[in-house]
Amino acid sequence: MTTIIIGKDRNGAYKEITCLGHTGYAASGKDIVCASVSVLVINTINALEELAGEHFITTVREEEGYIQCKFDGPMQEKSVFLLDAMVYGLKNIRKEYGKKYLQVQFKEV
């Protein structure tokens, strides 16, 4: 199962995103759920950096399915929109394929 943890401060501002594990929906290379989650998360991180110019620290351990992105400071409105869109997409994947494969959690950091 993949677990996505969205860390926000008490005011609701994004502070970090952590993606852990592989979904286990299908064999490696054929897992459409894992591929979908990966595309959403990685594309959002790339867009935040390249299109929005945000600064953050990213840690990746590909073999574990681990990606963590910690944001430095206040984010632009367009960056918040990108993250909201990612969360929306992740929730829809979870709704379609079930919590057996994907969990989306929120925590205060």
Side-chain angles (χ1 to χ4, degrees), residues 34-95:
C34 200
S36 299
V37 170
S38 295
V39 166
L40 272 174
V41 172
I42 293 168
N43 187 67
T44 300
I45 290 169
N46 289 340
L48 287 168
E49 183 175 30
E50 295 296 322
L51 301 177
E54 293 292 347
H55 299 282
F56 47 85
I57 298 169
T58 303
T59 304
V60 177
R61 292 191 299 271
E62 203 171 309
E63 64 284 347
E64 298 173 32
Y66 179 86
I67 301 171
Q68 184 178 59
C69 188
K70 291 188 175 190
F71 306 111
D72 289 345
M75 301 185 87
Q76 303 168 71
E77 188 176 328
K78 62 184 170 183
S79 301
V80 172
F81 182 81
L82 287 169
L83 287 163
D84 287 345
M86 180 194 75
V87 170
Y88 176 78
L90 291 168
K91 286 181 176 180
N92 281 321
I93 292 170
R94 182 182 177 274
K95 183 178 177 183

Side-chain angles (χ1 to χ4, degrees), residues 13-34:
Y14 288 100
K15 293 298 178 186
E16 64 184 40
I17 298 167
T18 304
C19 181
L20 307 151
H22 298 285
T23 65
Y25 180 77
S28 181
K30 298 182 187 287
D31 193 330
I32 61 172
V33 178
C34 200

